[in-house]
Amino acid sequence: NNELNIITGTLALKRRTVLDIMTNLADAFMLPYDAVLDFETLAEISRQGFTRIPIFDKVRTHVVGLLNIKDLALLDPDDCTAVKTLCMYYNYELCFVKDNTSLDLMLEEFKKGRSHMAFVRRFSRESEGGRDAAYEVIGVVTLEDIIEEMIQAEISDE
Ligand code: ADP
């Protein structure tokens, strides 16, 4: 029964973490910071169909920006606009969370409305150098992932 499912799912938000439900970085559709939005790239973005596209610098674990497909609506493929240019123009605030962040906390973050996608990071011992380098992104999580947990069902996309 639906109501019971939702109550059970909502209560479970406290116990579960973003690590349990995130989309693994390997499965995320992302673009490099130095890419250009030529016809090929725009066609691939359209084919993939995601609303938000994380932007990485050199290695995928180093997420530096985010594009929203609505930002691309007026682009002319012939202009070959640089991803970097759009990233700097829109400059979306990125939300990074630790992999052990509980889903109820994550939901509170999403409700604040700054971003509906968060980047899940874990401490990585390999890079002990810089302060930032000690963390690497391992996945992405969106509001939809959390809602699916609450209703305990998959949401089929249109
Ligand atoms: P969209 O609006 O792009 O369909 P949603 O926020 O509704 O994205 O999330 C749907 C599912 O797709 C979630 O499981 C989410 O983790 C995943 N997702 C969102 N963006 C990406 C992306 N760029 N690459 C891979 N998976 C993604």
Side-chain angles (χ1 to χ4, degrees):
N1 136 340
N2 259 335
E3 287 89 345
L4 193 59
N5 257 352
I6 293 173
I7 293 169
T8 317
T10 306
L11 289 173
L13 294 185
K14 274 199 199 330
R15 284 186 276 107
R16 309 203 59 205
T17 67
V18 289
L19 185 65
D20 300 331
I21 66 157
M22 69 180 193
T23 297
N24 286 319
L25 195 71
D27 300 321
F29 175 64
M30 306 168 77
L31 286 174
Y33 191 60
D34 60 8
V36 293
L37 298 161
D38 53 11
F39 179 81
E40 299 281 283
T41 309
L42 288 170
E44 178 64 6
I45 290 170
S46 162
R47 201 180 65 77
Q48 293 276 345
F50 292 109
T51 309
R52 298 174 198 84
I53 304 161
I55 307 300
F56 66 92
D57 190 18
K58 294 184 187 74
V59 286
R60 287 167 62 89
T61 50
H62 187 211
V63 173
V64 294
L66 188 65
L67 287 183
N68 198 302
I69 42 158
K70 72 178 192 297
D71 307 334
L72 313 177
L74 295 175
L75 286 190
D76 181 343
D78 293 336
D79 289 345
C80 292
T81 308
V83 163
K84 179 181 173 179
T85 308
L86 283 188
C87 276
M88 283 174 8
Y89 180 77
Y90 290 103
N91 199 21
Y92 293 116
E93 197 182 319
L94 302 179
C95 174
F96 292 100
V97 295
K98 284 194 277 180
D99 59 357
N100 63 356
T101 303
S102 69
L103 297 187
D104 63 333
L105 250 167
M106 191 68 255
L107 178 61
E108 288 311 310
E109 266 317 296
F110 284 147
K111 277 162 67 181
K112 289 181 190 161
R114 281 194 283 266
S115 170
H116 283 170
M117 174 183 271
F119 299 99
V120 180
R121 293 198 296 193
R122 77 162 166 223
F123 188 72
S124 96
R125 256 171 293 166
E126 280 151 48
S127 44
E128 281 166 352
R131 245 176 304 158
D132 268 352
Y135 287 92
E136 60 176 22
V137 174
I138 58 169
V140 300
V141 63
T142 71
L143 182 58
E144 175 164 309
D145 291 315
I146 301 209
I147 293 172
E148 284 185 342
E149 286 304 302
M150 292 172 75
I151 64 174
Q152 298 190 70
E154 294 280 316
I155 297 171
S156 352
D157 257 319
E158 68 274 43

